[in-house]
Amino acid sequence: MAVYTHVRPAELDAFLAPFGIGPVTSFKGIAEGVENSNYLLKTDDASYILTLYEKRVDPADLPFYLGLMDFLANAGVRTARPLKDKSGALLGELCGRPAALIEFLEGVSAEPPSTIQARATAKAMAELHLAGASFPMSRANGLGSKEWAGLLKGVAPQLEKIEQGLREELEVNLKETLASWPHGLPAGVIHADLFPDNVLLKDGAVSGLIDFYFACNDTYAYDLAVMINAWCFEDGEFRSELSHAILEGYQSARPLSGDEMKALPILAQGAAIRFILTRAIDWINRDPGALVVPKDPRALLPNLRFHGTAKPSAYGAIGQ
Amino acid sequence: MAVYTHVRPAELDAFLAPFGIGPVTSFKGIAEGVENSNYLLKTDDASYILTLYEKRVDPADLPFYLGLMDFLANAGVRTARPLKDKSGALLGELCGRPAALIEFLEGVSAEPPSTIQARATAKAMAELHLAGASFPMSRANGLGSKEWAGLLKGVAPQLEKIEQGLREELEVNLKETLASWPHGLPAGVIHADLFPDNVLLKDGAVSGLIDFYFACNDTYAYDLAVMINAWCFEDGEFRSELSHAILEGYQSARPLSGDEMKALPILAQGAAIRFILTRAIDWINRDPGALVVPKDPRALLPNLRFHGTAKPSAYGAIGQ
């Protein structure tokens, strides 16, 4: 990322005062996340993540993200809990930026994921879907299926710089995907970005889902389709045992309907297109010296090709 | 910085095995340091910093840096201690890079420093000088006074892009500095980069000196002159109370001789030139999108001008 806000101790102390936590014993900038400045902060009693929201996050969306994290944590879903200050606010200001203090969660990401980790994470996703159904706020998916044609149009002239034929492949696939896009499937709050690096695990159990900054209201099975893209391909090969574990884990908390199951290939194709498009945009606009190297959009082309010919049963079975 | 090595869990586990520490419960890249990739790593029992040495550090110097940190920690100096693996080695390899596992130290940097913090840090520096005298290895100062003329020559044509008149000011000052440079003062192992961000403090006491990657053999009083430049100027104003506290704290462990005291202004002028030069080089070669923004070389011009006319007594008194 191009921005990393430097926080001085006096500013930090002023920000922290209303949270009533003990004196800071350690404070280190962490190199995670492309969108925000994150610090790991310790007191004698606990550890926290301090997040300063930089330009790429719309401040108007922060009450939704932080409210959702708080709501889900209270409902027993394993997510990082934002702290409330003495006035009950989840959001403060630090160095001229919106900022939040979030409970630190132990755990490491699954890289590469095991079936045990995939099953546990998918179950946590289903629990998020179930609990989120009573969350009172909503937020449209700014990167949902209705946005993809516009995104593709914007980036199309530069796609050939990434790979020859990429523009045509995406145009053909997007047309096919949108023509068959399912409507009326069960929908509600979804994570929308549940890649392995957004899940912390400890001893095979989920210690926390993190990074809710793409969360929105959309089709539940689309969230699962994102996860299948993010977890089930290794060096371009589909790892069916991981996908089966995901469907098993998810359905142990929320069984899929026949319509949801039938829609999986097209939802997964759409999810592949969504991430290829946003990665292509980041790739084209990357800072050559940035700390976080953008992900290669081409890494998802095998996914796109796989989903285009896959049958629903390739992903797993219904009602496990 | 332009490089940040991504470590995968399987590689990490293989690297850690010979250290015999417990399973990793958390692992986060930290955004500190311009030269290396650093991770904060936790187990159930302890926290560590994992450092992967990137291109800018000469691997041939690592046995000196790590050996010194180990030696000083054993001698009771408050420094971060590198861990030895089962074979006794301080240095391993991870992701094709030299890598070391270093004890995590609590504490935060002094920003801006208080006189209490300055006094405590200067005393710790003197203890480093005393203990380091029996360290068996040595390393020439690659950024010492003999190197400055060459550094200036290399960067001179581009200095006017930074500030008009900068080239001439540095050339005049360097000539004057080298003509009066003291020889034969007490010398040994020095830190050579003891800026506030390289000291962790807790409750006014030093919890650790860190970042020994410029440590070398050079004049002790030059180390003090670096610290005076790094700690005693705020918005271009010399803060004499901090400098007095530094001389007091240092001399509480190692009193300065009359010759050392007399040489302070010229050593401080030289230290200012050294940091202006290396900052100018980093400034000219900066990556526009890098996470760590290089420091502005112009911030040290008031230092240079101050030292050029200062008497030794301006910095504090001898034998306190």
Side-chain angles (χ1 to χ4, degrees):
Chain A
M1 74 179 152
V3 181
Y4 202 96
T5 302
H6 179 72
V7 178
R8 292 170 66 110
E11 300 167 300
L12 178 62
D13 290 343
F15 172 80
L16 293 178
F19 289 97
I21 62 169
V24 174
T25 58
S26 176
F27 185 61
K28 295 201 183 293
I30 57 177
E32 279 179 13
V34 187
E35 313 284 328
N36 304 314
S37 299
N38 288 300
Y39 286 88
L40 174 57
L41 180 161
K42 287 186 181 203
T43 67
D44 276 335
D45 302 321
S47 297
Y48 306 90
I49 300 288
L50 171 72
T51 300
L52 281 77
Y53 298 97
E54 305 289 353
K55 278 179 287 186
R56 288 182 63 166
V57 174
D58 184 349
D61 287 332
L62 289 171
F64 175 85
Y65 300 139
L66 292 166
L68 176 62
M69 289 159 72
D70 180 53
F71 181 90
L72 292 174
N74 287 335
V77 179
R78 280 182 206 86
T79 57
R81 182 195 297 272
L83 267 74
K84 287 185 174 152
D85 71 13
K86 281 174 187 160
S87 75
L90 295 167
L91 195 62
E93 193 181 296
L94 180 53
C95 301
R97 287 157 176 79
L101 189 63
I102 297 163
E103 172 194 30
F104 173 84
L105 295 174
E106 289 202 338
V108 289
S109 297
E111 262 191 300
S114 68
T115 53
I116 291 173
Q117 294 169 320
R119 194 178 288 111
T121 302
K123 186 177 180 210
M125 175 191 273
E127 289 164 351
L128 183 166
H129 291 170
L130 294 171
S134 21
F135 181 56
M137 302 171 79
S138 73
R139 177 180 172 265
N141 188 355
L143 294 170
S145 58
K146 285 179 192 147
E147 315 298 329
W148 299 338
L151 288 175
L152 177 53
K153 210 169 165 185
V155 81
Q158 294 175 283
L159 287 176
E160 295 302 288
K161 285 188 210 160
I162 297 176
E163 180 150 304
Q164 218 192 344
L166 181 57
R167 176 182 179 156
E168 199 195 338
E169 184 168 4
L170 286 180
E171 284 173 346
V172 168
N173 264 284
L174 179 57
K175 203 173 157 193
E176 182 189 311
T177 301
L178 294 180
S180 318
W181 195 250
H183 295 280
L185 293 179
V189 172
I190 67 167
H191 184 283
D193 191 34
L194 205 57
F195 275 70
D197 53 356
N198 287 333
V199 183
L200 297 172
L201 296 126
K202 205 177 164 182
D203 304 327
V206 173
S207 48
L209 309 180
I210 60 172
D211 205 344
F212 278 75
Y213 305 111
F214 291 98
C216 58
N217 289 63
D218 206 334
T219 307
Y220 292 137
Y222 173 69
D223 213 4
L224 210 46
V226 169
M227 187 177 170
I228 288 168
N229 273 285
W231 288 62
C232 304
F233 290 82
E234 195 176 316
D235 301 325
E237 290 292 316
F238 179 67
R239 290 186 51 194
S240 63
E241 76 283 14
L242 286 170
S243 180
H244 280 70
I246 286 172
L247 290 200
E248 265 174 46
Y250 187 88
Q251 294 187 95
S252 70
R254 181 181 173 271
L256 293 168
S257 71
D259 284 347
E260 286 179 299
M261 193 70 204
K262 217 167 64 186
L264 269 188
I266 202 79
L267 291 168
Q269 202 173 342
I273 292 171
R274 173 258 186 261
F275 284 97
I276 292 171
L277 284 174
T278 54
R279 285 188 183 186
I281 293 165
D282 288 342
W283 188 260
I284 288 158
N285 298 306
R286 72 187 178 280
D287 292 311
L291 183 78
V292 179
V293 178
K295 291 174 181 166
D296 190 338
R298 289 168 296 189
L300 289 165
L301 284 172
N303 302 30
L304 185 62
R305 292 166 192 160
F306 175 85
H307 302 311
T309 60
K311 294 204 165 78
S313 59
Y315 301 100
I318 197 166
Q320 287 170 310
Chain B
M1 75 178 154
V3 181
Y4 202 96
T5 302
H6 180 72
V7 178
R8 293 170 67 110
E11 298 167 299
L12 178 63
D13 290 344
F15 172 80
L16 293 178
F19 290 97
I21 62 170
V24 175
T25 59
S26 178
F27 186 61
K28 293 199 184 294
I30 57 177
E32 278 179 15
V34 186
E35 313 284 330
N36 304 315
S37 300
N38 288 300
Y39 285 87
L40 175 56
L41 181 159
K42 287 184 183 204
T43 67
D44 276 336
D45 302 320
S47 296
Y48 306 90
I49 300 288
L50 172 72
T51 300
L52 281 76
Y53 299 97
E54 304 289 354
K55 276 180 286 186
R56 287 181 63 168
V57 174
D58 183 349
D61 287 331
L62 288 170
F64 175 85
Y65 300 140
L66 293 165
L68 177 62
M69 291 159 70
D70 180 53
F71 181 89
L72 292 173
N74 287 335
V77 180
R78 280 180 206 85
T79 56
R81 181 194 298 274
L83 268 74
K84 287 186 174 150
D85 72 11
K86 281 174 188 161
S87 75
L90 295 167
L91 195 63
E93 191 181 298
L94 180 53
C95 300
R97 286 157 177 79
L101 189 63
I102 297 163
E103 174 195 29
F104 173 84
L105 295 174
E106 289 202 339
V108 291
S109 298
E111 263 191 299
S114 68
T115 54
I116 291 172
Q117 293 169 323
R119 194 177 288 112
T121 301
K123 186 178 179 209
M125 177 192 272
E127 288 164 350
L128 183 166
H129 291 171
L130 293 171
S134 23
F135 181 56
M137 301 171 80
S138 73
R139 179 182 170 265
N141 187 355
L143 294 170
S145 58
K146 286 181 190 144
E147 315 297 329
W148 300 338
L151 289 174
L152 177 54
K153 209 169 168 185
V155 81
Q158 294 175 283
L159 287 176
E160 295 304 288
K161 285 187 209 158
I162 297 177
E163 180 151 303
Q164 218 190 343
L166 180 59
R167 177 183 179 158
E168 199 195 338
E169 184 168 4
L170 287 180
E171 284 173 345
V172 168
N173 264 284
L174 179 58
K175 204 174 156 192
E176 181 189 312
T177 302
L178 293 181
S180 318
W181 195 250
H183 295 280
L185 293 179
V189 172
I190 67 167
H191 184 284
D193 191 35
L194 205 58
F195 276 70
D197 53 355
N198 288 334
V199 182
L200 297 172
L201 295 128
K202 205 176 164 185
D203 304 327
V206 174
S207 48
L209 309 180
I210 59 172
D211 206 344
F212 278 76
Y213 304 111
F214 291 97
C216 56
N217 288 63
D218 206 334
T219 307
Y220 292 138
Y222 173 71
D223 213 4
L224 209 46
V226 168
M227 189 179 170
I228 289 168
N229 274 285
W231 288 62
C232 304
F233 291 81
E234 195 175 315
D235 301 325
E237 291 291 316
F238 179 65
R239 289 185 53 193
S240 62
E241 76 283 15
L242 286 170
S243 180
H244 281 68
I246 286 172
L247 289 201
E248 265 172 46
Y250 186 87
Q251 295 187 95
S252 71
R254 180 181 174 273
L256 293 169
S257 71
D259 284 347
E260 285 180 299
M261 193 70 202
K262 218 166 63 186
L264 269 188
I266 202 78
L267 292 168
Q269 203 174 340
I273 291 171
R274 172 256 186 264
F275 285 97
I276 291 171
L277 284 173
T278 53
R279 285 187 183 185
I281 293 166
D282 288 342
W283 188 260
I284 287 159
N285 299 306
R286 71 188 180 279
D287 292 311
L291 182 78
V292 179
V293 179
K295 290 173 181 165
D296 190 338
R298 289 168 297 189
L300 290 165
L301 284 172
N303 302 31
L304 184 62
R305 292 165 192 160
F306 175 84
H307 303 310
T309 61
K311 295 207 166 76
S313 59
Y315 301 100
I318 197 167
Q320 286 171 312

